[in-house]
Amino acid sequence: MSVIDDVLAANESYAARFNLANLPMPPARKLAIVACMDARLHVEEMLGLKAGDAHIIRNAGGIITGDEVRSLIVSHYLLGTQEFMIVNHTDCGMLTFKDEELLDRLRRATGVSTVAPATFHAFSNVEANVREQIQKLRSHPWIPQSIPVRGFVFDNKTGRLKEVSAAETRRSTA
Ligand SMILES: [Zn+2]
């Protein structure tokens, strides 16, 4: 039995006790979050969120690309979210490789180059990465300046979130 079969069995019992059928589509807390996909991050639990409270957009590294901007624009303009949050974390897998190494490995393994992905957005400093993502959103012409965009590093050892100041662009931190 595959793990997908296992989780489908879990869904049977979930559906049997499901009571969220009447939640409104717009997030109740008017919050949108871009977080790393790391399996250890329980985003709802770390932030005290329930189903229906927030949009949670996840990818490798908690990176802002065109697709995250797309989702956040839908989130704000169509579904009313008013604050954006970026969540990276310690011990992130994106710290463990370089884009060029992975691209080389894939080209060698498959014998072909591709148009996309052209980059994997690996990074060497989590706080600097968070700042960069904040800046990408802050500078986008379709993201209103009235929306707070705040970034955080989740500490995998303590469960605590530490805010990253958007301004410290030149300080090098570990
Ligand atoms: Zn990560």
Side-chain angles (χ1 to χ4, degrees):
M1 198 152 113
S2 81
V3 67
I4 295 177
D5 293 324
D6 288 345
V7 298
L8 287 175
N11 176 254
E12 285 299 322
S13 47
Y14 178 73
R17 58 190 152 77
F18 186 68
N19 61 357
L20 301 173
N22 297 314
L23 288 177
M25 188 191 297
R29 309 283 293 273
K30 301 186 189 301
L31 174 66
I33 300 156
V34 177
C36 184
M37 69 183 188
D38 192 290
R40 298 165 293 180
L41 267 59
H42 199 313
V43 177
E44 289 95 334
E45 271 191 13
M46 77 168 74
L47 299 172
L49 296 169
K50 302 189 303 289
D53 277 351
H55 284 143
I56 302 174
I57 302 152
R58 300 189 67 171
N59 63 37
I63 303 293
I64 302 298
T65 68
D67 200 57
E68 282 63 46
V69 172
R70 176 186 72 84
S71 295
L72 290 170
I73 284 171
V74 170
S75 177
H76 171 67
Y77 287 94
L78 301 181
L79 292 163
T81 57
Q82 301 296 338
E83 297 185 47
F84 294 166
M85 193 173 177
I86 294 161
V87 178
N88 281 196
H89 63 99
T90 57
D91 195 35
C92 186
M94 300 299 280
L95 292 161
T96 65
F97 70 98
K98 299 268 180 287
D99 272 28
E100 201 49 47
E101 291 164 9
L102 182 53
L103 288 165
D104 279 349
R105 177 175 150 193
L106 291 164
R107 286 188 204 112
R108 273 188 275 108
T110 62
V112 291
S113 291
T114 62
V115 172
T119 171
F120 287 92
H121 300 282
F123 49 82
S124 57
N125 180 309
V126 180
E127 294 193 1
N129 183 63
V130 170
R131 276 187 206 104
E132 190 181 331
Q133 309 320 310
I134 294 172
Q135 288 159 13
K136 284 195 249 176
L137 285 180
R138 204 60 300 164
S139 62
H140 196 285
W142 290 354
I143 306 280
Q145 292 301 315
S146 58
I147 294 188
V149 177
R150 294 168 65 181
F152 300 83
V153 176
F154 175 80
D155 187 325
N156 285 19
K157 295 291 178 236
T158 66
R160 190 161 280 118
L161 281 171
K162 181 178 158 203
E163 184 153 13
V164 175
S165 153
E168 296 176 59
T169 48
R170 282 181 196 84
R171 209 179 86 189
S172 80
T173 50

